[in-house]
């Protein structure tokens, strides 16, 4: 009985640790999105924003947009 309780406590502690990690990841994503949004607001149009990005950032942005287009096309074709 005590062993079962200890096992349950360990499982709960593991769940708590996992949830704390998920919360920290979500907060980091939120901060990153807010930062990106603020950077985009500084520019009058998307072309100025795109030209201000580094080559790696341009590539990542294009990959993100492309994957969204592909996902939407696949979803719409079903």
């Amino acid at each position: 009985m005590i062993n079962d309780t200890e096992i349950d406590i360990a499982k709960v502690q593991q769940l708590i640790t996992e949830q704390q990690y998920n919360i920290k990841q979500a907060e980091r994503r939120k901060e990153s999105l807010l930062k990106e949004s603020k950077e985009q607001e500084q520019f009058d149009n998307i072309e100025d924003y795109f030209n201000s990005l580094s080559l790696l950032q341009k590539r990542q942005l294009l990959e993100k947009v492309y994957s969204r287009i592909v996902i939407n096309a696949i979803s719409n074709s079903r």
Side-chain angles (χ1 to χ4, degrees):
M1 177 129 174
I2 293 176
N3 288 337
D4 292 340
T5 305
E6 290 174 350
I7 292 171
D8 290 342
I9 290 172
K11 287 179 182 179
V12 169
Q13 287 175 339
Q14 182 181 1
L15 287 172
I16 290 171
T17 303
E18 290 174 3
Q19 289 303 316
Q20 288 173 339
Y21 177 76
N22 290 340
I23 289 169
K24 287 180 183 177
Q25 276 189 319
E27 288 173 352
R28 284 188 210 121
R29 279 193 299 260
K30 177 183 164 188
E31 289 172 10
S32 176
L33 289 172
L34 286 173
K35 181 181 175 188
E36 186 177 323
S37 175
K38 286 181 182 180
E39 288 175 358
Q40 288 177 359
E41 288 176 0
Q42 294 175 353
F43 299 96
D44 293 333
N45 60 38
I46 191 69
E47 186 176 352
D48 290 339
Y49 171 71
F50 187 77
N51 289 331
S52 73
L53 297 174
S54 69
L55 188 58
L56 178 61
Q57 289 173 320
K58 287 178 185 178
R59 181 175 160 249
Q60 290 171 337
L61 179 61
L62 289 172
E63 286 175 352
K64 225 189 278 186
V65 170
Y66 178 77
S67 63
R68 286 182 187 167
I69 291 170
V70 169
I71 290 170
N72 287 339
I74 291 171
S75 297
N76 291 337
S77 69
R78 290 183 182 177

